Amino acid sequence: MLGHLTPVIDDGMTLLRRLVADLHQACAAAALAPLGDTDIELPSASLTVAHLVGAEIRLVMLGDCKLLLRGKDGRVEAFDDSPVAAFDAKVVEAMRKVQAGGEIELRRITPKLTALIRDNRRWKNRPGGYGVLMADPACLAFAETVRRPAADVTHLLLATDGFYRLVDTYRMLTAGELMQAALERGLAPLYAELRRIEDADPNASPPAPQGAGRCHRVAGAGNARLEHLQDRIRARDPRTRRVPRR
């Protein structure tokens, strides 16, 4: 859907408005009842678009995907901040409290977090909440657009929030180091390292006390696994009905 729009629209917000309108049309056509008359939860996603238009790179960002730009001087500009981080932090803090009470198995912790995660999801595309791409014009208010001279940019890296845990959760790398590692080693070894860290801590153990020997990288595993935990809760929610995707 996005592919047939980018060749004919070179303005970021115009592109996004057209995409949201097309998504709404597709969801309405697939739904079994009018969207406005039901409690259907529409599909949602993060979106980051880098569009080369003449001498400019035009960026459109909505959600929590990450984007890094490397300039000719070697400096890396990171677009990696999202309001959803504050909501994720609430869930991580609640999980830490459950763990501190003696429960360590993630499968037993998950039901205790269900209500909070569902409440967080109600804040998407609402004032005071966070933005995600949906078939709802309300998401447009959360979009960020940026323009940079194409001649000043040598490399661009797009990443999901899960992959970016190497930077913002495990703190193995800075944004600049992630870009450099991707150029030198490729993405596959970095992905493998991320999975190795996650697999080493299947129950998302709480952080060790300051000065203890436990590696601080593993201490952030709860946040790295949070997106998978939230997806599972959403899938099991009996109040949630999904509109079939196009």
Side-chain angles (χ1 to χ4, degrees):
M1 185 177 289
L2 187 62
H4 82 268
L5 293 177
T6 49
V8 296
I9 300 176
D10 57 17
D11 175 72
M13 285 307 299
T14 301
L15 174 69
L16 186 57
R17 281 192 292 269
R18 176 67 181 277
L19 177 61
V20 170
D22 285 3
L23 285 171
H24 189 276
Q25 184 178 4
C27 288
L32 300 178
L35 298 181
D37 299 335
T38 68
D39 193 28
I40 290 174
E41 182 175 357
L42 297 175
S44 61
S46 294
L47 173 71
T48 300
V49 177
H51 197 189
L52 182 62
V53 181
E56 286 186 329
I57 294 179
R58 299 182 181 181
L59 312 176
V60 182
M61 293 160 284
L62 180 58
D64 58 359
C65 287
K66 318 300 180 182
L67 187 149
L68 304 180
L69 292 179
R70 184 174 186 177
K72 292 190 298 185
D73 59 0
R75 294 183 180 180
V76 172
E77 186 176 12
F79 300 91
D80 58 1
D81 188 27
S82 169
V84 76
F87 291 86
D88 284 350
K90 293 179 182 179
V91 180
V92 172
E93 178 61 24
M95 181 171 66
R96 295 298 187 225
K97 290 180 179 179
V98 175
Q99 291 172 322
E103 185 57 73
I104 61 171
E105 293 189 34
L106 198 58
R107 65 184 180 88
R108 298 184 183 276
I109 294 174
T110 299
K112 302 178 186 297
L113 306 178
T114 298
L116 176 59
I117 291 174
R118 287 175 179 164
D119 183 66
N120 282 352
R121 294 187 63 83
R122 296 188 182 100
W123 284 96
K124 59 181 180 290
N125 297 330
R126 292 176 56 185
Y130 58 94
V132 292
L133 176 64
M134 291 179 62
D136 179 357
C139 72
L140 298 172
F142 292 86
E144 180 181 1
T145 59
V146 176
R147 297 185 180 191
R148 293 290 184 268
D152 294 343
V153 177
T154 62
H155 298 87
L156 182 151
L157 176 64
L158 302 177
T160 64
D161 60 329
F163 185 78
Y164 206 70
R165 300 304 188 206
L166 289 167
V167 175
D168 62 13
T169 297
Y170 299 125
R171 305 194 184 281
M172 290 182 59
L173 304 165
T174 65
E177 290 168 345
L178 178 64
M179 173 68 83
Q180 187 64 30
L183 292 172
E184 293 179 353
R185 301 167 52 197
L187 296 176
L190 294 170
Y191 177 81
E193 178 66 6
L194 174 64
R195 287 291 176 250
R196 183 193 67 76
I197 296 171
E198 291 179 340
D199 291 343
D201 189 24
N203 288 318
S205 303
Q210 186 69 25
R214 183 178 178 80
C215 177
H216 75 279
R217 296 173 182 171
V218 175
N223 197 25
R225 292 182 178 275
L226 182 59
E227 61 192 274
H228 304 295
L229 183 149
Q230 294 182 129
D231 285 344
R232 290 201 302 269
I233 288 176
R234 179 173 183 267
R236 290 199 299 265
D237 189 347
R239 299 170 297 176
T240 298
R241 290 188 291 149
R242 295 186 178 182
V243 177
R245 297 185 182 231
R246 195 172 187 177

